[in-house]
Amino acid sequence: MTVERPQRTVERATAAGRRRWASFMPEPARDRRLDSLISRLQPGPVRTVKVIGFDGADVLVQLVDAAGEETGVGRIPRHEGSMPRLEHPSELIRIGQNMKAEDIGRGHAGHLLFSARACEIPALRSFLLAMERGQVVTGTVSGVHDFGVFVHVDGEPDGLCTGFIRVPDLTWTRIDHPSEAVEAGQRITAEVITAEPRCGQVTLSLKALQEDPLVRFADRADESPRVRSPRSFPSVSSYGSHGRRGVSSPL
């Protein structure tokens, strides 16, 4: 038995292992619904609007251009009126009020849609807009719950808690509860997944900064010695039985 040992550096072996693993993982097709969701999460331009009335729990607004002239009419949906939950937007917003709101596109009926909560706290909006996907941030765990972990991200506005980590983004290891991965008061380093000014939150991932165990498995498999067994040749005897070497000819 001969043993073939690769004569490569560790770096080359690691790269080869990843390429080998990637060959078993075809490139996934683009998900149009996911692309649409990501597009909707991208912050829109900030406009000045004037409140002209209420339609149920929606706020009707008049778009005001840079010259101060009123142009198109739109609305602020109930869930985009304010970050704090209100019974009715009139508790916070009054008719005739001018306010800043983010342009979030058009509704099914073609009318303009705006988000007031995206501009409710200017310091929070500026903080979140400075975040980029893939950016590494630090913070302190403020709360651990069944559904995820809240984090005070360093540099966030006073009195707010902007970071959140979903359970699947905590670790590659299977856990029954987030408390198995982190605890309140713990300092962490995480990667930004997305920052959403309309929600006042930045979604983080601890797992993104941890080594993927599948890649490690592929690297080890590629670096392990390969055993080359002696080549054998089948043979057929005159009685139909199989041998290991050579070919027997009938008598």
Side-chain angles (χ1 to χ4, degrees):
M1 181 178 68
T2 61
V3 178
E4 177 186 350
R5 297 184 181 276
Q7 301 297 319
R8 294 174 297 181
T9 64
V10 173
E11 290 80 4
R12 291 182 60 189
T14 300
R18 290 178 178 173
R19 289 195 300 270
R20 182 180 179 186
W21 179 256
S23 66
F24 294 99
M25 303 292 290
E27 187 71 21
R30 293 187 65 88
D31 189 330
R32 294 183 178 180
R33 292 175 298 178
L34 179 59
D35 289 343
S36 176
L37 174 61
I38 293 175
S39 177
R40 291 199 302 271
L41 291 177
Q42 297 300 315
V46 175
R47 310 290 191 189
T48 299
V49 297
K50 179 179 180 180
V51 178
I52 59 176
F54 299 97
D55 181 11
D58 289 355
V59 182
L60 301 179
V61 295
Q62 185 92 41
L63 181 61
V64 179
D65 64 15
E69 297 182 1
E70 298 178 353
T71 54
V73 176
R75 66 176 57 217
I76 301 174
R78 177 178 182 175
H79 62 279
E80 296 291 349
S82 175
M83 288 186 186
R85 187 180 297 274
L86 303 173
E87 291 296 328
H88 193 272
S90 60
E91 298 176 28
L92 186 65
I93 300 171
R94 67 181 186 278
I95 295 177
Q97 173 184 351
N98 278 10
M99 58 193 306
K100 297 292 185 180
E102 181 182 308
D103 186 340
I104 58 175
R106 293 183 177 272
H108 296 297
H111 48 253
L112 295 170
L113 295 178
F114 299 93
S115 171
R117 69 177 184 173
C119 304
E120 194 169 15
I121 307 175
L124 174 60
R125 180 178 178 84
S126 297
F127 175 74
L128 294 175
L129 289 179
M131 296 283 183
E132 297 182 358
R133 180 178 177 86
Q135 178 180 342
V136 176
V137 298
T138 55
T140 304
V141 176
S142 65
V144 180
H145 305 273
D146 293 342
F147 52 86
V149 174
F150 289 99
V151 180
H152 282 300
V153 181
D154 292 350
E156 68 187 11
D158 293 340
L160 299 176
C161 182
T162 58
F164 182 72
I165 307 175
R166 303 179 308 132
V167 176
D169 291 316
L170 285 170
T171 177
W172 289 97
T173 306
R174 181 182 178 87
I175 57 176
D176 295 323
H177 192 272
S179 60
E180 298 176 31
V182 294
E183 60 183 10
Q186 178 179 337
R187 292 287 296 171
I188 62 167
T189 301
E191 183 176 299
V192 173
I193 297 178
T194 182
E196 306 174 49
R198 288 162 59 186
C199 297
Q201 192 173 78
V202 54
T203 305
L204 305 172
S205 172
L206 291 179
K207 186 169 73 173
L209 299 180
Q210 301 168 4
E211 184 182 17
D212 186 340
L214 297 181
V215 172
R216 184 169 66 249
F217 172 80
D219 292 343
R220 289 178 178 175
D222 190 77
E223 294 173 2
S224 61
R226 301 174 185 175
V227 178
R228 180 180 295 172
S229 59
R231 184 175 298 176
S232 59
F233 301 93
S235 62
V236 180
S237 68
S238 57
Y239 302 100
S241 60
H242 296 275
R244 276 291 178 186
R245 292 184 178 276
V247 178
S248 354
S249 53
L251 297 176

